[in-house]
Amino acid sequence: MKKLLTIACLAFALTANAQVSKWYDNIKLSGYGMLQFQASDKKWAEDNTFNLRLMRLIVDGKISDFDWRVQMQGTSNAGPGNPTMQLVDLYTEWNRFKAFRVKVGQFKRAFTFENPTHPITQGWYSYAMVINNLVGFGDRTGEKSSGGRDIGLQVQGDLLQLASGRSLLHYQVGVYNGEGINQKDKDNRKDFIGGLWLMPFNGVRIGAFGWTGSRAGVGDKNRYALSAEYDKNEFTFRTEYVHSQGNGADLAMGDKADGIYAFGIVPVVKSKLHAKARYNLYRQSKEWATSKTMYEVGFNYFFTKNLQLNVEYARVNERAGHHNYNFGDVELDFRF
């Protein structure tokens, strides 16, 4: 009897250990850090400073047909004495079918190509100004910086699959609170966002997006974006135009805004050195008198695939204050 009991206990322990090992096998811990030095000679506002742009800790996992992610962010942007750690991603996605996947939780809004791009892969000192102002990074409605994220539910999928396995069409539709990250809906009116893009050739995407919703205390917002991208063999070219209708947090902004960016990043030495240039425009009130334009050039140098140095120079024109000035950024990024 004792022998049978011992054998049973040993079998249970081995089975439990196997199950635990399998559970751990589906967990991945990763993260990255982004360190900056910036300087500008804008009249009456010259500055030069070291900055901690971002720190992220990410835990990814899988349970059956569900993927999940938890992501925490630390940044110096909140300033001394204020909390600088926050939850940015917390979601799960059912992905049994490539043509129909369902995501629920807090994650990137289904708007523009640039928004879901990894901050390091994106390749610049910041996302384009129109993305920052009209996709929820530092939204003109006064929404706190949310990294383009919101809480909600999204359905997406790839359709018209070729024999090679590549799909020709992608769609995504989501419903969100409309308040940004870590916020409940404050006016009981949801934001609806949808995107559709074609992929006629390998590396090419041509898309359109729409967004309708509101923000408590500000009012309605209606936006659309037109996007095109080529990304293959370390060559990346992308341009997007975004238009917004709806009041900003400051009524002096008016009820319309828009912007466009276009950039190219090309390999000079494959997997080692990339050169880059970007045209970056945002019009706070959809008038040239309120425009800010940045003409940017620079390079990205890869010590390894997980450690890179980004250097950037920009000539900046701000029509509202008749300012023309120089801006520079040096950034050291690492992943683990």
Side-chain angles (χ1 to χ4, degrees):
M1 186 67 178
K2 289 183 179 180
K3 289 184 178 180
L4 289 175
L5 185 59
T6 301
I7 292 173
C9 290
L10 181 60
F12 176 78
L14 291 173
T15 302
N17 184 63
Q19 290 175 342
V20 170
S21 298
K22 186 175 182 180
W23 181 80
Y24 276 116
D25 288 342
N26 291 326
I27 301 295
K28 178 184 177 183
L29 175 65
S30 62
Y32 58 92
M34 307 180 77
L35 313 174
Q36 282 182 322
F37 177 80
Q38 292 184 332
S40 77
D41 62 357
K42 183 177 180 180
K43 193 173 183 180
W44 312 120
E46 298 91 343
D47 72 314
N48 62 86
T49 183
F50 290 101
N51 181 46
L52 306 177
R53 179 182 171 186
L54 279 179
M55 183 279 291
R56 295 266 177 90
L57 293 175
I58 307 164
V59 182
D60 290 303
K62 185 176 182 63
I63 304 172
S64 185
D65 294 326
F66 290 83
D67 292 331
W68 58 266
R69 166 170 286 194
V70 177
Q71 183 171 197
M72 299 294 297
Q73 173 179 293
T75 178
S76 63
N77 291 341
N82 293 318
T84 57
M85 287 294 296
Q86 62 179 339
L87 178 68
V88 290
D89 280 319
L90 178 61
Y91 66 81
T92 184
E93 182 173 26
W94 181 63
N95 59 7
R96 183 173 183 179
F97 303 106
K98 188 176 181 180
F100 184 79
R101 306 193 299 274
V102 182
K103 182 184 291 187
V104 61
Q106 180 165 284
F107 49 87
K108 287 280 190 175
R109 291 171 166 128
F111 195 70
T112 74
F113 286 162
E114 179 147 312
N115 180 29
T117 306
H118 192 291
I120 295 179
T121 305
Q122 189 262 349
W124 298 91
Y125 84 94
S126 175
Y127 291 87
M129 289 186 288
V130 69
I131 302 298
N132 283 328
N133 286 280
L134 299 181
V135 188
F137 284 77
D139 205 275
R140 77 190 299 267
T141 61
E143 173 186 304
K144 75 170 187 176
S145 180
S146 297
R149 293 169 170 83
D150 207 340
I151 303 174
L153 182 146
Q154 176 181 295
V155 176
Q156 64 177 336
D158 297 313
L159 305 173
L160 305 179
Q161 188 170 339
L162 301 176
S164 64
R166 184 172 64 84
S167 297
L168 294 176
L169 183 68
H170 177 86
Y171 74 91
Q172 51 190 38
V173 181
V175 55
Y176 310 86
N177 282 341
E179 301 291 343
I181 62 173
N182 306 322
Q183 299 287 321
K184 293 183 178 180
D185 197 335
K186 298 178 181 178
D187 62 1
N188 296 320
R189 299 176 60 192
K190 299 296 182 285
D191 281 18
F192 296 89
I193 302 176
L196 184 70
W197 62 78
L198 299 172
M199 298 171 282
F201 307 103
N202 191 18
V204 174
R205 296 192 294 172
I206 302 171
F209 302 82
W211 178 351
T212 184
S214 66
R215 184 167 188 270
V218 178
D220 295 340
K221 54 186 173 186
N222 296 290
R223 298 173 179 175
Y224 68 84
L226 303 174
S227 311
E229 179 187 73
Y230 175 81
D231 187 5
K232 186 179 179 181
N233 297 329
E234 299 185 26
F235 287 85
T236 304
F237 301 92
R238 183 164 66 244
T239 183
E240 296 192 278
Y241 172 78
V242 185
H243 181 277
S244 175
Q245 184 276 322
N247 290 324
D250 181 353
L251 293 180
M253 293 180 180
D255 69 343
K256 291 183 180 179
D258 71 350
I260 189 172
Y261 73 88
F263 75 71
I265 300 177
V266 301
V268 177
V269 179
K270 188 174 177 61
S271 302
K272 203 70 177 176
L273 178 64
H274 291 171
K276 60 186 181 181
R278 179 168 70 170
Y279 174 76
N280 190 1
L281 166 71
Y282 176 63
R283 300 193 299 177
Q284 180 176 275
S285 301
K286 202 185 175 182
E287 296 176 354
W288 285 107
T290 66
S291 70
K292 179 178 179 180
T293 309
M294 300 182 71
Y295 305 90
E296 304 165 69
V297 294
F299 67 86
N300 300 332
Y301 181 79
F302 299 84
F303 298 98
T304 71
K305 66 178 182 179
N306 291 326
L307 179 66
Q308 69 185 71
L309 177 71
N310 302 338
V311 177
E312 190 170 337
Y313 164 78
R315 182 64 177 171
V316 186
N317 172 255
E318 292 185 19
R319 292 198 180 186
H322 304 287
H323 294 301
N324 290 285
Y325 59 93
N326 301 298
F327 169 82
D329 179 270
V330 179
E331 189 169 308
L332 185 65
D333 300 336
F334 61 90
R335 312 184 197 213
F336 59 87

